[in-house]
Amino acid sequence: MKLLTHEIPTPWGKIATVVDVSNNPVVIGAGFKPMAKLIKQLPNKYIDADYKKDTKLAGVTNAVKDWIDGDLDAIIDLKVMQPGGDFMQKCWKILRKVKGGKVITYAELAQKAGNAKAVRAAGSSCARNLVAPFVPCHRVIKTGGAIGNYGFGISLKKALLTHEGVHNLH
């Protein structure tokens, strides 16, 4: 297994990124957190892996730069993979279809994933998302327009949504 790491600077802080390049490159971890913390959250099969620092990770870095520059859907075009049950996988697939500048509620996410009563489970899928922002859980809000939680802080969630053109959240 060949894993590359890179920290991508953004206006909101660095996005730590881990990409498995053993076959077709796939993002297996990403987030606004220190690289060491991100690596500790990856599945057990990656614990003893050999991580190599890459200064570019061109495809991922370019997608993030495009997102910063206004191509709000560039981040969801990357191939990603993360562990999780069927419902979580459905939620993450749906989140990758939420266009930049748009939001979805936790209730809508649960309903679209096939279980309208599983609103908390939909929220858990956001909380357990190992490849944010490439599975853009920051685009999920509470019913009624309240911003809701975000694993990297509510102020960052607001900043990301503002960047994407979403305003008037409370």
Side-chain angles (χ1 to χ4, degrees), residues 80-140:
V80 298
M81 181 179 66
Q82 59 183 324
D86 289 343
F87 186 77
M88 282 193 180
Q89 295 295 335
K90 287 178 186 176
C91 286
W92 294 328
K93 187 175 183 177
I94 290 161
L95 288 175
R96 290 181 56 87
K97 293 179 181 177
V98 177
K99 298 289 185 189
K102 305 290 183 195
V103 293
I104 186 173
T105 66
Y106 293 100
E108 290 170 325
L109 180 58
Q111 190 264 333
K112 287 180 183 222
N115 188 346
K117 294 181 180 181
V119 177
R120 285 187 174 203
S124 290
S125 73
C126 293
R128 293 186 177 166
N129 179 9
L130 291 177
V131 289
F134 310 126
V135 173
C137 56
H138 64 274
R139 296 177 182 162
V140 183

